[in-house]
Amino acid sequence: MKNMTVPNLITLLRICLVPFLIYLVYKVNTSVFLLVLGVSLLSDVLDGYVARLMNQTSDLGAKLDSVADTLTYCVMIFALYQLWKDHFIEQAMFIYIAISCYFVTTLISAFKFGELPSYHTLGAKVAALLLAPSYYLMVLFDAEFFFRSVIIFYILVAFEELIITFMLKRPEKNIGSVFSLFRRI
């Protein structure tokens, strides 16, 4: 049971929160949804920190983190559509472009390497860190500019991940940035 590390358990908690978040969306319980989503998003920061602190980083942890991120972001989009439809409609173009970028980078990596990417670049970490406050500011205070800015930044991150995928000869996890790959050449 060496894979049952504290960071992996935190990440599994995030995955287990997804059905509960979906349930809260269907029950139209926005306050509890936002609270549980906040716990999930904070645990995303916590699992990586704990993994590095306890020297328990692993390929499995990186893959689990990517799965948890994807599921959480899907629930966020679903909730936006169900609970805050006006915001969804206003941001639809940005959301659809971001989803397309995600699928393109994921599919290219899956075809090239036979697995989903888990690059966890600095840009991806910054985008994930900014997404939570931008989402909350949008749904609670109608502050949409920050959300759009984060989505545009994410699109740039997706292009970086696409470049990384084309540069790699084999799958790798936890790559700092495309520049760290250039330094290897």
Side-chain angles (χ1 to χ4, degrees), residues 19-81:
F20 185 57
L21 286 166
I22 293 169
Y23 170 79
L24 292 170
V25 170
Y26 279 115
K27 287 297 183 182
V28 191
N29 194 333
T30 56
S31 299
V32 177
F33 171 82
L34 289 172
L35 178 69
V36 174
L37 178 63
V39 168
S40 177
L41 294 169
L42 286 173
S43 72
D44 183 24
V45 174
L46 184 63
D47 63 2
Y49 175 76
V50 170
R52 288 183 295 281
L53 181 71
M54 299 177 76
N55 197 27
Q56 294 181 338
T57 59
S58 67
D59 283 348
L60 175 63
K63 287 178 184 178
L64 283 174
D65 187 64
S66 294
V67 168
D69 289 346
T70 300
L71 292 173
T72 302
Y73 299 148
C74 287
V75 168
M76 290 171 73
I77 294 167
F78 173 67
L80 194 62
Y81 179 79

Side-chain angles (χ1 to χ4, degrees), residues 90-162:
E90 291 171 9
Q91 305 310 316
M93 180 184 70
F94 290 91
I95 292 167
Y96 292 140
I97 291 171
I99 291 169
S100 299
C101 287
Y102 171 80
F103 278 116
V104 166
T105 57
T106 301
L107 289 174
I108 289 173
S109 177
F111 282 123
K112 183 172 181 179
F113 300 123
E115 65 181 57
L116 302 178
S118 293
Y119 300 142
H120 298 109
T121 63
L122 177 61
K125 290 176 184 178
V126 170
L129 190 64
L130 295 175
L131 182 61
S134 73
Y135 187 87
Y136 281 84
L137 287 169
M138 180 178 58
V139 300
L140 295 174
F141 303 109
D142 294 329
E144 296 173 341
F145 178 76
F146 186 35
F147 181 80
R148 288 179 179 182
S149 300
V150 172
I151 295 297
I152 290 168
F153 179 70
Y154 168 73
I155 292 166
L156 296 173
V157 168
F159 280 114
E160 178 187 37
E161 291 183 353
L162 194 58

